[in-house]
Amino acid sequence: MQLNRHPAGRHFLQIPGPGPVPDRILRAISLPTIDHRGPEFGALGLKVLDGIRQIFQTRHPVVIYPASGTGAWEAALVNTLSPGDAVLMVETGHFATLWKKMAERLGLAPEFLGLPGTEGWRRGVDADSIGQRLRADSGHRIQAVCVVHNETSTGVTSDIAAVRRAIDAAKHPALLMVDTISGLASADYRHDEWGVDVGIGGSQKGLMLPPGISFNALSPKALEASRSAALPKSFWAWDEMVESNRSGYWPYTPNTNLLYGLSESLDMLLAEGLPNVLARHRRWGEGVRAAVRAWGLEIQCAEPACYSPVLTGVVMPDGVDADRVRRIIHERFDLSLGTGLGKLKGRMFRIGHLGDSNDLTLLATLAGCEMGLKLAGVTLAGSGVQAAMDFFASREQADADVKVES
Ligand code: PLP
């Protein structure tokens, strides 16, 4: 490992989060740390708590933890559930699998809905099968349905509104918990409109921040459940957090400098307008997929309706080790791509197209991929870079923009 290596030019960090942090945010984070119990801090706290509610599209409390996304996963479970509770989870990929393992370790009884092999790792959540399972649970043993909105290991985005409809149609009282760690601020997520009870987010994806803060967006029903939930909790407990947050403070030392960064990120995203932010992600996803198709390679997501606007999984032909291709690309072109995770190790790599990016950054990323694939001996059907250039040149940003009312 060459930690002191400083190649000329800038590194291309094209994993699906963390991505490049904009200079504006880096500068904000570098400001002097202030007293987290002093008067200035309260104003910052109130500002970021209000802004993050707009990003989650909720009127209800959002809790901000000085922790990575995994912490916010745990917070969602321990605040709402009791030992031995049944929870229905769906095997969409590696992150859904990790969340289910966490539920087991916490003493919950997760049931994992899935398809054989890696079939479920290519598709969105099947809301009908959730509805069916809930209808069969006439005694209402299942306390929560937990789904991953944007499965970062596969590049598949699930229809959360459909899951809500399925729960309602089954007349089942289970809570709906949604991991939108890699969806927030890059894929459409509407906490209140979709009736999500706990939404889980992270800083290092669409918010363009370094890793280190994460979120729980709550519903009144989730807050109600937290009053009787018996799993042990202290650091993660919502009650003290929500209480302190009312005046813009935290019950313990918050991640002050990352909150400066969050404040800057919120200013940037809200000035651009969330609909525009989402439109540029959708457009980038289309451009990258045009490249993968032109190469003649397979996209990991098998359902076009579920293509992720955040990342694309590129499946390697049989006999090609995706990690060897990634290694060549990293060594030759200083470009980092996401590795295949869990069941997809070595089978595919992931191109992140989120956050602080633009058409030319993505074209350079695709050029690095195309050259690396050729160097690795992969036969390509055509030029993906050309296909993406054609796509980006023919589709102006304005085509994808949704005008924001001023
Ligand atoms: N869930 C999803 C969908 C993720 O993409 C990640 C991380 O990439 C996590 C959970 C875990 O978050 P963290 O690695 O920040 O703890």
Side-chain angles (χ1 to χ4, degrees):
M1 199 164 51
Q2 297 169 288
L3 282 178
N4 59 354
R5 174 169 165 264
H6 187 264
R10 76 166 179 80
H11 175 67
F12 278 77
L13 182 59
Q14 295 297 142
I15 61 174
V21 179
D23 292 351
R24 249 180 91 169
I25 293 183
L26 287 174
R27 278 196 294 273
I29 290 171
S30 75
L31 292 175
T33 305
I34 56 171
D35 173 8
H36 59 283
R37 310 218 187 270
E40 280 171 88
F41 188 90
L44 170 72
L46 289 175
K47 181 191 167 191
V48 294
L49 288 162
D50 175 61
I52 196 67
R53 278 198 292 273
Q54 295 180 55
I55 301 292
F56 271 100
Q57 304 196 43
T58 182
R59 289 176 298 113
H60 303 295
V62 176
V63 165
I64 306 178
Y65 293 108
S68 83
T70 304
W73 261 352
E74 179 161 339
L77 299 177
V78 297
N79 274 287
T80 52
L81 299 167
S82 298
D85 274 355
V87 289
L88 188 61
M89 302 179 113
V90 185
E91 186 183 352
T92 46
H94 183 65
F95 289 103
T97 306
L98 290 181
W99 201 13
K100 179 224 163 207
K101 279 189 190 151
M102 172 186 275
E104 282 166 348
R105 293 175 75 140
L106 290 170
L108 297 166
E111 181 178 327
F112 212 24
L113 278 184
L115 296 171
T118 53
E119 267 314 292
W121 293 47
R122 309 202 62 187
R123 305 169 194 286
V125 167
D126 176 16
D128 288 344
S129 64
I130 292 181
Q132 234 170 43
R133 181 63 193 90
L134 293 178
R135 272 192 295 279
D137 180 39
S138 51
H140 293 171
R141 280 190 57 256
I142 295 170
Q143 299 297 316
V145 174
C146 300
V147 291
V148 175
H149 176 214
N150 185 71
E151 187 38 270
T152 326
S153 62
T154 61
V156 178
T157 309
S158 286
D159 183 348
I160 301 302
V163 175
R164 176 77 263 169
R165 285 195 297 274
I167 298 173
D168 291 348
K171 297 192 170 43
H172 198 289
L175 294 166
L176 173 58
M177 303 205 207
V178 176
D179 166 350
T180 187
I181 286 175
S182 62
L184 195 67
S186 39
D188 193 17
Y189 176 84
R190 308 178 197 178
H191 190 76
D192 289 358
E193 187 184 323
W194 294 347
V196 180
D197 292 302
V198 188
I200 299 148
S203 56
Q204 74 273 31
K205 314 278 184 182
L207 293 174
M208 307 175 289
L209 295 167
I213 48 178
S214 52
F215 312 91
N216 275 180
L218 316 178
S219 74
K221 188 172 160 186
L223 277 164
E224 186 56 39
S226 74
R227 294 193 184 103
S228 53
L231 276 175
K233 61 198 149 289
S234 171
F235 179 80
W236 305 117
W238 289 340
D239 52 359
E240 289 182 1
M241 191 70 123
V242 171
E243 189 49 41
S244 296
N245 282 175
R246 280 189 220 287
S247 50
Y249 294 89
W250 266 245
Y252 39 75
T253 313
N255 219 327
T256 310
N257 290 58
L258 282 181
L259 296 181
Y260 296 158
L262 176 60
S263 168
E264 201 67 19
S265 151
L266 293 167
D267 284 349
M268 291 167 76
L269 292 168
L270 296 173
E272 183 178 355
L274 205 44
N276 290 328
V277 172
L278 303 181
R280 73 175 148 77
H281 282 85
R282 281 195 300 272
R283 179 170 171 281
W284 290 338
E286 277 187 58
V288 169
R289 290 192 299 274
V292 180
R293 285 194 202 97
W295 289 329
L297 297 175
E298 206 180 335
I299 294 168
Q300 176 64 25
C301 178
E303 291 178 334
C306 299
Y307 282 146
S308 170
V310 180
L311 75 141
T312 298
V314 184
V315 182
M316 290 298 94
D318 284 344
V320 175
D321 175 5
D323 283 334
R324 182 172 160 264
V325 177
R326 279 178 55 250
R327 206 160 39 244
I328 291 171
I329 293 170
H330 183 244
E331 281 170 10
R332 290 291 298 271
F333 307 114
D334 200 21
L335 160 62
S336 291
L337 298 166
T339 185
L341 291 167
K343 291 183 183 177
L344 299 176
K345 183 88 193 134
R347 293 288 304 122
M348 53 93 99
F349 63 77
R350 297 168 299 145
I351 304 175
H353 33 84
L354 70 159
D356 189 38
S357 196
N358 58 33
D359 294 358
L360 292 185
T361 301
L362 291 176
L363 285 170
T365 299
L366 293 168
C369 294
E370 190 162 315
M371 290 186 286
L373 284 161
K374 285 184 185 164
L375 287 169
V378 179
T379 309
L380 301 178
S383 170
V385 176
Q386 187 62 58
M389 286 201 296
D390 292 344
F391 175 84
F392 286 133
S394 69
R395 290 275 300 276
E396 284 181 34
Q397 178 66 52
D399 294 348
D401 281 356
V402 179
K403 291 282 167 269
V404 184
E405 301 294 328
S406 51

